[in-house]
Amino acid sequence: MNTKLDIAKILTLSTAHIKPETATMLDNEPNTNDLGLSVYNKAGYGWFIYIDSVIDDTFDHLPEDLKACIVFAKEQECEWLCLDTDGEEIEELTIYQ
């Protein structure tokens, strides 16, 4: 088999690391594109966010809580961030909920 597999690295964090207003923005993002992110809803359980194309100096418009999650995921060399209601809460990030 000579097929090159495209495998992506994803970090799953708790939705507790974002504020309720940020959660609303993520819910609306596929329709509004206000954040300029590729966001995929997980049927009420969170979101998949493609972060590989996010450049650190171009996301100043993002809410600070979401930006912190993205920066942390990029530091772990991830291409995707998954915010999930059952995801891990980590001490490196603020817990809002």
Side-chain angles (χ1 to χ4, degrees):
M1 183 185 218
N2 223 0
T3 305
K4 182 179 181 214
L5 300 176
D6 183 17
I7 300 172
K9 190 172 175 183
I10 184 169
L11 173 66
T12 301
L13 295 173
S14 173
T15 54
H17 291 300
I18 60 168
K19 297 177 182 178
E21 53 268 26
T22 302
T24 299
M25 293 174 81
L26 289 170
D27 278 338
N28 295 331
E29 181 63 6
N31 298 319
T32 64
N33 199 32
D34 289 338
L35 300 172
L37 298 172
S38 296
V39 176
Y40 304 90
N41 195 304
K42 291 183 64 182
Y45 295 100
W47 308 269
F48 290 106
I49 306 166
Y50 183 66
I51 61 168
D52 197 45
S53 63
V54 176
I55 301 170
D56 296 348
D57 60 354
T58 63
F59 65 3
D60 288 338
H61 65 288
L62 297 178
E64 290 299 318
D65 53 345
L66 180 58
K67 191 186 315 184
C69 291
I70 291 172
V71 167
F72 186 80
K74 288 178 80 64
E75 287 171 349
Q76 310 313 308
E77 299 179 355
C78 294
E79 297 173 52
W80 289 85
L81 169 62
C82 173
L83 294 172
D84 191 287
T85 55
D86 293 327
E88 283 293 317
E89 293 179 8
I90 60 172
E91 63 184 39
E92 292 87 350
L93 296 171
T94 303
I95 296 172
Y96 297 97
Q97 306 169 17

